[in-house]
């Protein structure tokens, strides 16, 4: 097992994900973890994550006995700075930060960098720098600004990186982690998703027993895979409910119903459009929208549970990115970006116990499990769709008129993109209705109508994303169709911002 100690980085779970790609088991722990809690777990290696804090401003306590276990340790970004401070080095604020793609030069041979060139492109995200290394440490690489980019102890099995090998933008990040896992830690490939499915189905079967489970189904790959997963585990003790909150895309309700029923899922569809839209009337703040939708979802399930129950569990397809972006970091310092309907805004007193088997999985892992469980490509290849639906793709108040405008524009976008030979490169593609009216010309007359923004990105796991360079002729065709066919739109813009600094969704 590998232990990832979380100091609040948005990439912490991505570190664990990269380790799993190497077929080694990984768990995430808070900085308060004690040596005695790790002993007996056959820990092969420890990784100290990055984080938003500064080692010279705050007292980040960690059990010093962990460093005496004789286990290899890799410090990443803040983790590097913490190692340096603990063992007597000096950390200070740099004259300038290093963010995004940065070139490093490797100056010393190390097992950690086997297979790398003398110069490599890595992903940096820091202002603080390690100015002086502790006694016994040597520099392995420097940045273009002549800051230390990596170091290694000649006394202990400690290694450090100022950059992020877990982020896909780091050119040889996987090779670096592979070197640490197999050449330094001498680990073996002993974990895979087949094992996860087998063990978790058994665990859920034992945990649930003869109690009933209510599953919130959205029609996306997460909840659809979970439906089949739970069906295998608990059979008829599962009831799946699909809530049409009036915020779905065109034809989505019918599509979901037909597909899930064909898979044998016991599905109940509830038409709650008027209920949700009335609660959202006049609401413009995105966090308030999410909270209202989250609360209303729970109320719907509580009501249906009383009618069909008793149900003991409420199952949700919560994934790692949901938890990352909604939760506070394990340091207790807020690192919240936005809340999610299935992990944020829940009432303090629930009549259900929450069941989230996929809570520590990434989207691509769930897709692999879906294939293993026999789900068709229709589900497996679906792009991620937010639980609050189109509510977070309309900037400002939600109305039926604005929903219809957005649905029409999005339908055109998807229809045109699916004709593109590189469509499967896309992680997510959607339209956003902006609360901006601009002057235009339609039929030789002045128009004053809304603006549609288009967002198309590529990503491996949703943690980072790059805007997709769609051919101009396709973008032009999409723009022309939207402005010609969608009443109320006279301008289309294309979002060319990566994640970070932006998130994938606008709200």
């Amino acid at each position: 097992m590998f232990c990832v100690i979380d100091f609040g980085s948005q990439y912490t779970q991505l570190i664990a994900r990269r380790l799993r790609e190497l077929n080694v088991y990984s768990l995430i722990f808070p900085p308060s973890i004690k040596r005695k809690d790790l002993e007996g777990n056959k820990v092969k290696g420890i990784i100290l994550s990055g984080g938003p804090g500064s080692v010279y401003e705050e007292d980040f306590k960690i059990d010093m006995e962990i460093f005496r276990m004789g286990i290899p340790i890799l410090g990443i970004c803040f983790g590097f700075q913490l190692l340096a401070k603990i063992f007597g080095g000096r950390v200070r604020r740099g004259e300038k930060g290093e963010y995004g793609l940065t070139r490093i030069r490797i100056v010393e041979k190390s097992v950690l960098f086997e297979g790398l060139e003398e110069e490599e492109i890595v992903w940096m995200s820091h202002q603080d720098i390690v100015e002086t290394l502790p006694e016994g440490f040597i520099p392995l690489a420097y940045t273009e600004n002549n800051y230390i980019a990596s170091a290694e102890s000649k006394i202990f099995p400690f290694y450090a990186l100022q950059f992020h090998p877990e982020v896909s933008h780091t050119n040889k990040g996987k090779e670096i982690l592979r070197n640490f896992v197999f050449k330094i830690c001498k680990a073996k490939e002993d974990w895979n998703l087949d094992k996860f499915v087998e063990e978790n189905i058994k665990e859920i079967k034992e945990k649930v027993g003869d109690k009933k489970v209510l599953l919130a189904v959205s029609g996306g790959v997460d909840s659809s895979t979970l439906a089949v997963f739970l069906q295998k585990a608990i059979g008829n003790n599962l009831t799946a409910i699909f809530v049409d909150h009036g915020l779905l895309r065109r034809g989505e309700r019918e599509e979901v119903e037909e597909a899930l029923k064909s898979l044998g899922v016991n599905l109940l569809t509830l038409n709650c459009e008027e209920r949700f839209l009335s609660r959202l009337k006049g609401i413009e703040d995105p966090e308030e929208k999410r909270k209202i939708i989250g609360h209303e979802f729970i109320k719907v399930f509580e009501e249906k549970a009383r009618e069909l129950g008793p149900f003991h569990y409420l199952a949700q397809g919560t994934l790692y990115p949901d938890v990352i972006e909604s939760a506070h970091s394990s340091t207790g310092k807020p690192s919240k970006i936005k809340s999610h309907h299935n992990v944020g805004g829940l009432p303090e007193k629930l009549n259900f116990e929450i069941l989230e088997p996929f809570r520590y999985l990434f989207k691509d892992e769930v897709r692999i499990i879906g294939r293993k469980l026999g789900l068709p490509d229709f589900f497996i290849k679906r792009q991620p769709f937010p639980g609050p639906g189109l509510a977070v793709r309309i900037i400002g108040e939600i109305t039926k008129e604005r929903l219809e405008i957005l649905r029409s524009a999005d339908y055109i976008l998807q229809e045109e993109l699916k004709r593109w030979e590189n469509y499967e490169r896309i992680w997510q593609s959607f339209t956003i209705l902006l609360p901006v009216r601009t002057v235009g010309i339609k039929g030789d007359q002045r128009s004053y109508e809304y603006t549609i923004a288009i967002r198309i990105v590529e990503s491996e796991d949703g943690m980072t994303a790059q805007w997709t360079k769609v051919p101009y002729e396709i973008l032009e065709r999409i723009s022309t169709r939207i402005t010609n066919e969608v009443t109320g739109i006279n301008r289309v813009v294309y979002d060319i911002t990566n994640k970070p600094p932006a998130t994938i969704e606008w709200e």
Side-chain angles (χ1 to χ4, degrees), residues 176-463:
I176 294 171
L177 290 175
R178 186 178 290 110
N179 288 338
F180 179 71
V181 168
F182 297 116
K183 294 181 179 179
I184 294 172
C185 299
K186 308 297 183 184
K188 296 180 180 179
E189 298 182 34
D190 59 2
W191 186 85
N192 56 55
L193 289 174
D194 285 325
K195 186 176 181 181
F196 172 88
V197 171
E198 180 183 340
E199 291 180 351
N200 279 266
I201 283 180
K202 180 181 178 181
E203 181 182 320
I204 289 171
K205 187 179 297 185
E206 293 174 353
K207 179 177 182 178
V208 172
D210 59 358
K211 297 182 178 70
K212 290 188 176 182
V213 177
L214 191 63
L215 169 63
V217 170
S218 68
V221 65
D222 308 333
S223 59
S224 300
T225 300
L226 184 56
V228 180
F229 185 87
L230 290 175
Q231 187 71 40
K232 288 179 71 69
I234 59 175
N236 293 332
N237 286 333
L238 171 68
T239 299
I241 293 182
F242 175 48
V243 176
D244 181 0
H245 47 25
L247 305 167
L248 300 173
R249 292 164 290 192
R250 181 181 292 177
E252 191 164 15
R253 172 178 168 176
E254 295 77 15
E255 202 173 55
V256 168
E257 283 183 307
E258 182 180 346
L260 287 182
K261 287 181 178 179
S262 71
L263 289 170
V265 176
N266 179 28
L267 183 70
L268 176 64
T269 302
L270 305 178
N271 185 356
C272 301
E273 179 181 13
E274 294 300 327
R275 175 174 179 165
F276 277 83
L277 293 188
S278 65
R279 290 281 289 112
L280 290 166
K281 186 175 181 180
I283 304 299
E284 297 186 3
D285 180 75
E287 280 299 294
E288 189 64 21
K289 290 179 191 176
R290 289 176 180 272
K291 286 180 181 178
I292 287 171
I293 293 169
H295 278 292
E296 213 57 37
F297 258 101
I298 295 300
K299 287 181 181 178
V300 167
F301 288 121
E302 286 179 329
E303 292 168 8
K304 213 61 193 175
R306 284 193 291 270
E307 179 184 333
L308 302 175
F311 291 95
H312 186 84
Y313 293 98
L314 172 64
Q316 296 186 137
T318 306
L319 302 186
Y320 250 177
D322 301 335
V323 177
I324 298 165
E325 295 189 349
S326 297
H328 282 28
S329 71
S330 300
T331 63
K333 306 297 180 184
S335 59
K336 178 177 175 179
I337 295 174
K338 62 185 177 183
S339 63
H340 290 254
H341 81 282
N342 52 352
V343 288
L346 297 177
E348 291 184 4
K349 293 183 179 179
L350 280 173
N351 293 326
F352 307 107
E353 186 175 338
I354 301 298
L355 195 64
E356 298 173 320
F358 298 161
R359 183 178 183 82
Y360 298 108
L361 296 180
F362 281 83
K363 178 78 69 174
D364 56 329
E365 291 181 299
V366 173
R367 286 196 172 108
I368 293 171
I369 290 174
R371 281 197 176 91
K372 292 180 182 296
L373 295 176
L375 269 73
D377 279 353
F378 166 77
F379 283 120
I380 303 301
K381 294 183 178 180
R382 286 195 84 182
Q383 294 179 8
F385 186 63
L390 300 181
V392 292
R393 292 179 179 174
I394 293 177
I395 312 301
E397 184 182 5
I398 311 300
T399 66
K400 283 191 175 183
E401 177 194 8
R402 290 181 174 182
L403 281 166
E404 186 51 37
I405 290 173
L406 186 59
R407 284 192 184 103
S408 299
D410 194 73
Y411 184 82
I412 291 170
L413 173 68
Q414 303 307 328
E415 192 172 58
E416 292 297 334
L417 284 179
K418 285 175 182 176
R419 296 173 181 170
W420 184 31
E421 60 183 4
N422 293 321
Y423 175 72
E424 290 195 4
R425 274 173 40 193
I426 297 172
W427 169 269
Q428 218 166 341
S429 57
F430 55 91
T431 53
I432 308 100
L433 180 62
L434 306 184
V436 178
R437 292 178 185 267
T438 66
V439 175
I441 301 171
K442 283 191 174 181
D444 294 326
Q445 293 184 348
R446 178 184 185 275
S447 68
Y448 192 59
E449 298 176 311
Y450 288 114
T451 300
I452 281 286
I454 294 174
R455 182 79 159 136
I456 308 172
V457 298
E458 298 170 33
S459 178
E460 290 185 4
D461 44 44
M463 295 302 298

Side-chain angles (χ1 to χ4, degrees), residues 30-281:
S32 58
I33 189 70
K34 303 297 182 185
R35 172 175 176 164
K36 61 183 176 62
D37 298 320
L38 296 179
E39 289 176 335
N41 286 311
K42 297 182 180 179
V43 176
K44 302 292 290 184
I46 296 171
I47 295 181
L48 309 177
S49 85
S54 295
V55 295
Y56 56 81
E57 289 180 351
E58 302 179 50
D59 183 17
F60 287 88
K61 294 181 179 177
I62 185 170
D63 184 4
M64 288 300 296
E65 287 298 315
I66 287 175
F67 298 98
R68 299 186 180 100
M69 295 175 71
I71 294 171
I73 293 176
L74 174 64
I76 296 175
C77 196
F78 174 87
F80 176 15
Q81 296 157 18
L82 185 65
L83 268 178
K85 181 185 177 185
I86 287 174
F87 289 95
R90 185 177 173 222
V91 180
R92 68 170 176 84
R93 190 81 165 170
E95 288 78 14
K96 54 184 176 181
E98 293 179 313
Y99 300 96
L101 296 177
T102 306
R103 187 181 301 276
I104 65 168
R105 68 181 191 280
I106 298 173
V107 297
E108 191 75 30
K109 288 186 177 181
S110 171
V111 177
L112 191 65
F113 288 157
E114 281 189 9
L116 274 66
E117 304 296 329
E118 287 186 7
E119 290 193 352
E120 291 287 355
I121 298 297
V122 302
W123 183 264
M124 291 279 192
S125 184
H126 71 104
Q127 179 80 41
D128 294 350
I129 62 169
V130 175
E131 184 176 50
T132 306
L133 289 170
E135 183 179 352
F137 280 75
I138 62 168
L140 299 179
Y142 288 91
T143 72
E144 293 170 307
N145 296 313
N146 214 34
Y147 295 153
I148 300 172
S150 178
E152 172 185 332
S153 171
K154 289 301 183 181
I155 303 172
F156 308 104
F158 299 162
Y159 300 80
L161 303 170
Q162 187 57 74
F163 56 89
H164 291 270
E166 72 275 20
V167 175
S168 60
H169 302 305
T170 292
N171 210 19
K172 299 284 182 60
K174 285 187 178 180
E175 283 81 352
I176 294 171
L177 290 175
R178 186 178 290 110
N179 288 338
F180 179 71
V181 168
F182 297 116
K183 294 181 179 179
I184 294 172
C185 299
K186 308 297 183 184
K188 296 180 180 179
E189 298 182 34
D190 59 2
W191 186 85
N192 56 55
L193 289 174
D194 285 325
K195 186 176 181 181
F196 172 88
V197 171
E198 180 183 340
E199 291 180 351
N200 279 266
I201 283 180
K202 180 181 178 181
E203 181 182 320
I204 289 171
K205 187 179 297 185
E206 293 174 353
K207 179 177 182 178
V208 172
D210 59 358
K211 297 182 178 70
K212 290 188 176 182
V213 177
L214 191 63
L215 169 63
V217 170
S218 68
V221 65
D222 308 333
S223 59
S224 300
T225 300
L226 184 56
V228 180
F229 185 87
L230 290 175
Q231 187 71 40
K232 288 179 71 69
I234 59 175
N236 293 332
N237 286 333
L238 171 68
T239 299
I241 293 182
F242 175 48
V243 176
D244 181 0
H245 47 25
L247 305 167
L248 300 173
R249 292 164 290 192
R250 181 181 292 177
E252 191 164 15
R253 172 178 168 176
E254 295 77 15
E255 202 173 55
V256 168
E257 283 183 307
E258 182 180 346
L260 287 182
K261 287 181 178 179
S262 71
L263 289 170
V265 176
N266 179 28
L267 183 70
L268 176 64
T269 302
L270 305 178
N271 185 356
C272 301
E273 179 181 13
E274 294 300 327
R275 175 174 179 165
F276 277 83
L277 293 188
S278 65
R279 290 281 289 112
L280 290 166
K281 186 175 181 180

